[in-house]
Amino acid sequence: MVTQYKCSNCGDNMVYDTISGALKCHSCGREDNIEQMARQHNLDDSLDGMNKEDKEAALKSFNKDYSDPFNEDEPSSHSTFVEDEVAEYNCNNCGANIITDKQTTATKCSFCGAAVVLSDRLTGNLAPSYVIPFMISKSQAQEAFKKWCKKGLLTPNDFRVADRIKDITGLYVPFWLFDLNGKGEVKATCTRVRTYTRGDWIYTETKYYHVYRKVDLNYKRIPCDASKKMDDKMMDRLEPYSYARLNSFEMPYLAGYIAEKYDFTDQELLPRVKTRANSYIDSYIRSTITGYSSVQINSKNINIRNRKADYTLLPVWLVCYDYNQAEHNFVMNGQTGKIIGRPPISRAKIATWLLGISGLSFLLLRLITFFLGGDFLW
Ligand SMILES: [Zn+2]
Ligand SMILES: [Zn+2]
């Protein structure tokens, strides 16, 4: 099923607007409040008892007490996607066939440009729980990219001047937000060493301590990207997102953007997010063992269990650009404007710059050239 948002004033296509946070018609300026639309929509759906039960169950699990004694992961409440999708989509506007890949949930009609939301890929068990809408508009992202190209003393001149944007995409990337509980137990032997002088003697006194730490920590909404296309490290570096603007998912937020559904289930990503939480718990425990001359960990036991994972769409601006006959990506957090990646560096500029500094050894220059020899864009 295809959902398109038509202006009730003039009939033109409406898209999500980052400034007003509403669905907007760019022809006549009409704005529709998305939450109000959702309330109306829910009223229309109120006969459908399933939906309500699902919502109540979701609310119940959200409010569940986190101090229960079990050590097992909660089973996933999400169904996996059906693989064989033969559904054909046609634009309501112009009737053209909409060409999408299996993962697409929102796109634009390639003939008339109208925003298209593939609603059957976003409802029922396939519905995301939350969305953070775009706060950075397309023109702001373009501006930021241009500025970024000019940034840096070492950026090649030809890179700074040209308009390089090949393609700019506002993409809702599928994420899982994990709620985890971590229990940790650490036994350590620590020492405190004191040196003092009495008479002609210097004494060294070593006191030994048995140190025991037991922690029970809850982590809420650790993000983990569920898209094959997006580089994991890059997505991690786009954090943090502000959850103050974490909205209940509504389809109109996607109008005018590209959205995809997840490639990896929450179960598949669990090991990755557990590794991450493990390092948090480990460093938290270590931060509580202070004031000793030495710390030797004798035993460490960390158990992490998954409490809940929410399917969430997070906004990312993606700019594809050409440089030196290769395609590169510029990635920006669509909520905060945080940019990942550095512009290319001119080796000639570096050499000139380094030669200008006296006393710098040839070896260092060689080393830097060596390190920059590879792909230093990321
Ligand atoms: Zn209108
Ligand atoms: Zn069309």
Side-chain angles (χ1 to χ4, degrees):
M1 205 175 83
V2 166
T3 301
Q4 282 168 301
Y5 298 93
K6 293 270 172 203
C7 174
S8 55
N9 276 351
C10 71
D12 202 358
N13 301 299
M14 300 180 89
V15 289
Y16 178 75
D17 179 54
T18 49
I19 296 159
S20 60
L23 205 60
K24 187 168 182 172
C25 170
H26 285 287
S27 297
C28 72
R30 184 191 162 88
E31 285 178 1
D32 285 337
N33 182 298
I34 290 172
E35 276 122 60
Q36 235 166 50
M37 286 169 70
R39 272 197 293 277
Q40 184 60 43
H41 189 77
N42 286 344
L43 215 63
D44 297 345
D45 279 353
S46 63
L47 285 176
D48 186 359
M50 276 289 287
N51 244 343
K52 210 176 159 191
E53 267 172 29
D54 275 359
K55 271 188 185 158
E56 270 167 16
L59 202 70
K60 229 177 173 177
S61 85
F62 186 76
N63 293 328
K64 227 193 239 172
D65 180 15
Y66 273 10
S67 60
D68 67 299
F70 301 108
N71 279 327
E72 299 294 311
D73 292 327
E74 292 284 327
S76 172
S77 57
H78 300 267
S79 68
T80 36
F81 293 121
V82 196
E83 274 304 313
D84 56 322
E85 273 169 355
V86 282
E88 257 203 16
Y89 299 98
N90 287 297
C91 176
N92 291 338
N93 218 32
C94 69
N97 196 301
I98 292 161
I99 300 144
T100 68
D101 64 31
K102 276 202 314 235
Q103 300 309 112
T104 310
T105 56
T107 184
K108 280 175 195 165
C109 170
S110 45
F111 290 90
C112 72
V116 176
V117 179
L118 307 179
S119 36
D120 55 336
R121 294 178 177 182
L122 290 162
T123 43
N125 276 329
L126 310 182
S129 304
Y130 299 105
V131 57
I132 292 180
F134 275 87
M135 301 283 283
I136 307 283
S137 70
K138 188 175 184 170
S139 55
Q140 283 172 318
Q142 273 164 330
E143 258 332 286
F145 174 74
K146 277 183 201 153
K147 234 168 133 183
W148 175 82
C149 288
K150 289 181 187 129
K151 196 182 101 176
L153 289 168
L154 302 175
T155 312
N157 283 336
D158 60 338
F159 183 79
R160 295 161 71 115
V161 287
D163 185 11
R164 307 207 161 266
I165 299 183
K166 242 186 89 189
D167 195 19
I168 178 161
T169 313
L171 183 70
Y172 278 108
V173 179
F175 273 77
W176 291 99
L177 302 186
F178 286 93
D179 284 7
L180 301 175
N181 172 262
K183 290 183 173 62
E185 212 176 353
V186 163
K187 287 175 188 160
T189 308
C190 304
T191 60
R192 258 181 213 146
V193 182
R194 186 167 74 100
T195 309
Y196 58 94
T197 314
R198 197 158 290 163
D200 289 338
W201 295 89
I202 296 170
Y203 293 86
T204 301
E205 175 196 273
T206 305
K207 283 183 176 173
Y208 287 84
Y209 298 86
H210 288 298
V211 171
Y212 177 68
R213 294 285 184 273
K214 191 176 179 182
V215 298
D216 189 342
L217 301 164
N218 285 313
Y219 293 92
K220 293 208 88 175
R221 293 173 178 157
I222 301 180
C224 197
D225 89 273
S227 162
K228 246 180 223 165
K229 274 180 216 162
M230 307 307 274
D231 181 76
D232 290 348
K233 276 192 196 119
M234 212 159 75
M235 288 300 106
D236 287 350
R237 285 167 61 205
L238 278 183
E239 292 175 26
Y241 285 88
S242 158
Y243 292 148
R245 285 300 306 271
L246 189 69
N247 295 355
S248 291
F249 175 75
E250 298 297 343
M251 276 190 269
Y253 288 119
L254 309 191
Y257 296 89
I258 306 296
E260 296 202 336
K261 56 188 192 181
Y262 58 81
D263 296 305
F264 301 109
T265 64
D266 51 340
Q267 292 300 307
E268 287 169 320
L269 293 181
L270 203 52
R272 196 181 137 206
V273 76
K274 278 190 178 181
T275 308
R276 188 170 170 182
N278 198 85
S279 69
Y280 295 163
I281 295 164
D282 194 43
S283 65
Y284 175 74
I285 295 174
R286 290 301 298 256
S287 76
T288 68
I289 307 174
T290 53
Y292 296 102
S293 313
S294 73
V295 176
Q296 193 206 323
I297 306 282
N298 301 323
S299 76
K300 181 165 74 179
N301 199 351
I302 293 177
N303 183 58
I304 300 166
R305 60 180 292 249
N306 181 24
R307 300 304 323 265
K308 189 163 83 88
D310 285 314
Y311 177 24
T312 303
L313 301 178
L314 300 182
V316 173
W317 280 110
L318 205 64
V319 178
C320 264
Y321 65 93
D322 280 330
Y323 185 67
N324 275 352
Q325 284 135 23
E327 258 192 30
H328 304 281
N329 284 330
F330 159 97
V331 185
M332 183 194 230
N333 181 319
Q335 181 192 31
T336 64
K338 182 178 179 182
I339 291 164
I340 298 304
R342 278 174 305 169
I345 291 172
S346 153
R347 276 183 233 187
K349 274 197 181 183
I350 288 185
T352 333
W353 181 66
L354 287 178
L355 287 172
I357 300 171
S358 57
L360 201 75
S361 73
F362 180 62
L363 180 69
L364 184 58
L365 182 65
R366 280 284 297 274
L367 265 174
I368 290 169
T369 323
F370 173 75
F371 281 121
L372 293 174
D375 178 12
F376 42 85
L377 265 169
W378 292 103

